Amino acid sequence: MATNYFDRDSETVSRADLQTLQETRLRSLLGRLKERVPFYRQALADTGVDSAHVTLADLNRLPFTRKDDLRARYPFGLLAVGRSELARVHASSGTTGKLTVVGYSAADLDLLAEVNARCLVMAGARPGMMLHNAYGYGLFTGGLGLHAGAERLGMTVVPVSGGMTERQVSLIQDFGPDVIACTPSFGLTLAQALAERGVAPDEISISLAVVGAEPWTESLRSRLEAGLDARASNIYGLSEVIGPGVSSECVEHRSGSHINEDHFLPEVVDPQTGQAVPEGEDGVLVLTTLTKEALPLLRYWTGDVASLTSEPCPCGRTLARMSLVRGRTDDMIVVRGTNVFPSQVEAALGKVAELAPHYRLIVRRDDTLDEVTVAVEVTPATETRLAETRLAVEADELRDAELEQRTGRAVRETVGCSMQIRLVRPGGLERSQGGKLSRVVDQRELS
Ligand SMILES: [Zn+2]
C-alpha cells in the first residue's frame, strides 16, 4: 500500500531543511516570548543567550518551563496574546492542586486541527471514514482535538465523548464506524461490554483504533486489538503543548510515534541533571512549541518518560519518533530504592494468561518502607475455575496461592522488586469512563 500523508512536504522534509526551519522558528519564538511574557523576559535575560542568533546547539542553555510555572500564574499569566485574541480555553486537572489552564488563538486552533489530521492519517484513517470519537469532550483537549482533526481530514465524526458504555456499544453496532479514538483503558471497557453482549470482535465494523492519553504497553495493545478486532496506533499529546496531535505512530510500522517536529521541538533529558541523553535512551520528554501563539512554551518539562530516534522510518516520514511513554515521573513510585512505573507492572501482568488487563497499584508505608500491593482482576474463565475449586473467598477477593506466586514472580522479574498480589473478581476494579485513569492509589499520606 502506498503511504498517504496529510502534508507530504512537512512530513518528509529533509532533516537539514527541518533543522533550518526549527531554528528560524525558535528565534521568532524567543523574540515573542521576550516581548510579550514577563516570566520569559526575566528567565531569558538571565541566560545571556542571543535570541536573534540562537541555534539548536544552544537549547540546553535555555530555561525549562514546568507545570508549576503554569499553576503559579493561574489562570492566564503566561499568555502571549491579549484576552480578546483568545479563541478558546482548555484545562487539565492534575491529581492534586489547581487546574492547568491553556489558551488558543484562532491560529492555534487551526494548528490543532492540522496536527490531528496528520496523526489520523498516520494511524490509517482516510477521508470519508467514520470516526467514533470516545475521547472526553469539554475542558479536556482530547475530544475536541481529535474532532477538529477528523473534520479537517474529511471524516464523518460521531462526537460520543466518554462514559455511557452501553450506549456507545449500541452506537458502534448501529452506525458502523471505521475508526475509534479512545484511551486504552476505555477501549478495554468497550471491548468487555461488547463481549458481555455476546458480540464477537469481528462482528463490529471498527478496523482502526487511535489510542492515547495514558501510558500503555504492547501487552495492552495486543489485548485491545483482540477485543476490538482493530489495528491500534498510539497518539500522543498533552494540553500544555497543544492537546492530542504532538505525535502518532504510523500504522504501517508502529515503532515509535512521529513527532510533528516542525511545530513541536523535542528533547529527551536526564530527569536529575536536565542534560540531554543520547538517542534511544530513556529520559524526560521536553517539548518547545515553535509556532503556538497564545501559550507558547519553551522547553516544557512533560514529566513523561520516553526515548527518541531520528532514524529513517520505512513509511517515508522523516519526523523523529518517540517511544511509547514508559510512565510519568510523577507516577513513578520508589520501592526500596527501585524506580517503578505502572507500565512495567502492566507488562509483567500481561505475561500471565489468567489475568485481565485491569489493575491498580496500592502504595502503603509500613514503618519507613513503601509496600506495594498489585490488585489485579482475573479473567472470567479463571473466576469460574476458582469457584469450582472453592478457592474463592469473601467479597471481591479471590485466592489462588499458585497463581499469586506466579504473578508475583513475573512482577519481580520485570520490575526488579517484590510486590504483594491481590486477585480480584472480573469487574471488581473501577473502570475508565473515558478520562485519564490513575493506576496508582497512594495511601502513604493516610497511614
Ligand atoms: Zn513511520
Side-chain angles (χ1 to χ4, degrees):
M1 186 191 85
T3 303
N4 286 301
Y5 309 99
F6 183 73
D7 177 354
R8 177 183 295 269
D9 290 348
S10 298
E11 295 174 57
T12 62
V13 62
S14 76
R15 297 293 304 172
D17 286 352
L18 178 63
Q19 181 170 338
T20 304
L21 178 70
Q22 287 172 328
E23 289 183 336
T24 305
R25 288 181 167 176
L26 183 61
R27 287 173 200 135
S28 157
L29 169 69
L30 294 186
R32 282 185 289 127
L33 290 176
K34 273 186 177 171
E35 189 187 314
R36 299 183 191 171
V37 187
F39 166 75
Y40 281 118
R41 189 177 308 136
Q42 180 64 47
L44 286 168
D46 294 344
T47 66
V49 171
D50 175 6
S51 48
H53 299 94
V54 73
T55 69
L56 296 187
D58 300 315
L59 263 182
N60 63 359
R61 298 169 57 200
L62 299 173
F64 292 113
T65 310
R66 295 178 187 261
K67 203 179 184 88
D68 283 347
D69 295 322
L70 284 163
R71 289 212 182 104
R73 287 151 192 86
Y74 172 91
F76 301 129
L78 282 184
L79 290 186
V81 298
R83 282 281 309 281
S84 62
E85 293 170 73
L86 214 49
R88 193 194 291 168
V89 171
H90 279 287
S92 65
S93 53
T95 43
T96 55
K98 278 178 183 164
L99 289 172
T100 305
V101 177
V102 293
Y104 299 74
S105 69
D108 294 335
L109 290 179
D110 192 62
L111 177 64
L112 180 66
E114 158 85 20
V115 292
N116 276 282
R118 282 192 201 176
C119 288
L120 282 163
V121 174
M122 288 186 209
R126 297 291 180 266
M129 286 185 176
M130 181 184 283
L131 173 69
H132 180 97
N133 188 7
Y135 269 118
Y137 281 65
L139 284 176
F140 175 57
T141 51
L144 285 165
L146 261 307
H147 185 107
E151 286 190 342
R152 177 67 55 91
L153 178 57
M155 301 180 77
T156 310
V157 191
V158 186
V160 195
S161 193
M164 293 185 287
T165 308
E166 281 305 307
R167 194 168 79 172
Q168 302 226 9
V169 168
S170 297
L171 289 174
I172 289 169
Q173 289 185 288
D174 296 346
F175 289 5
D178 307 282
V179 186
I180 186 169
C182 59
T183 60
S185 54
F186 190 61
L188 287 175
T189 303
L190 281 175
Q192 187 186 344
L194 282 161
E196 283 167 3
R197 270 199 188 189
V199 182
D202 62 0
E203 288 176 52
I204 59 167
S205 55
I206 292 169
S207 62
L208 298 166
V210 180
V211 178
E214 297 163 355
W216 58 311
T217 56
E218 293 299 337
S219 71
L220 206 157
R221 191 201 307 259
S222 304
R223 301 216 187 200
L224 190 60
E225 293 192 325
L228 295 175
D229 190 30
R231 194 163 165 83
S233 301
N234 182 57
I235 185 168
Y236 172 82
L238 63 169
S239 62
E240 296 88 332
V241 171
I242 188 138
V246 171
S247 71
S248 172
E249 287 174 334
C250 54
V251 70
E252 302 93 329
H253 299 287
R254 301 192 306 180
S255 57
S257 299
H258 289 286
I259 301 172
N260 286 307
E261 281 183 282
D262 45 341
H263 298 289
F264 314 112
L265 179 62
E267 300 168 77
V268 171
V269 303
D270 182 290
Q272 260 76 50
T273 66
Q275 294 301 311
V277 302
E279 278 206 2
E281 279 187 24
D282 279 351
V284 175
L285 181 69
V286 169
L287 292 164
T288 295
T289 66
L290 292 173
T291 53
K292 267 178 67 192
E293 289 183 345
L295 185 67
L297 294 180
L298 189 59
R299 304 191 82 202
Y300 185 70
W301 187 277
T302 66
D304 290 328
V305 176
S307 64
L308 210 56
T309 176
S310 57
E311 290 286 306
C313 182
C315 76
R317 289 181 181 85
T318 51
L319 302 171
R321 285 169 285 155
M322 55 184 275
S323 66
L324 284 181
V325 170
R326 321 258 185 233
R328 293 187 47 77
T329 46
D330 42 358
D331 275 350
M332 192 178 78
I333 36 183
V334 182
V335 189
R336 295 184 288 279
T338 305
N339 296 346
V340 178
F341 292 111
S343 60
Q344 294 173 293
V345 177
E346 183 177 306
L349 300 177
K351 294 173 187 163
V352 182
E354 292 95 329
L355 303 178
H358 302 289
Y359 68 98
R360 291 289 184 285
L361 305 183
I362 299 143
V363 188
R364 291 186 324 278
R365 180 156 290 167
D366 292 343
D367 294 327
T368 55
L369 284 181
D370 287 344
E371 295 291 339
V372 182
T373 300
V374 183
V376 57
E377 290 185 18
V378 300
T379 62
T382 309
E383 184 191 30
T384 306
R385 179 177 64 78
L386 293 181
E388 282 166 359
T389 54
R390 300 184 178 279
L391 283 166
V393 291
E394 60 203 282
D396 279 339
E397 275 194 55
L398 300 170
R399 298 305 303 269
D400 177 345
E402 189 279 326
L403 179 55
E404 287 165 30
Q405 277 172 17
R406 190 151 40 88
T407 306
R409 200 158 54 236
V411 168
R412 194 167 59 248
E413 283 167 5
T414 308
V415 176
C417 62
S418 299
M419 299 184 179
Q420 289 200 347
I421 307 298
R422 195 169 88 208
L423 303 177
V424 179
R425 286 181 197 286
L429 296 174
E430 192 190 336
R431 288 290 184 273
S432 163
Q433 292 301 313
K436 293 193 186 194
L437 181 68
S438 178
R439 301 289 195 181
V440 179
V441 182
D442 195 336
Q443 298 182 335
R444 279 174 292 195
E445 301 304 313
L446 306 174
S447 54

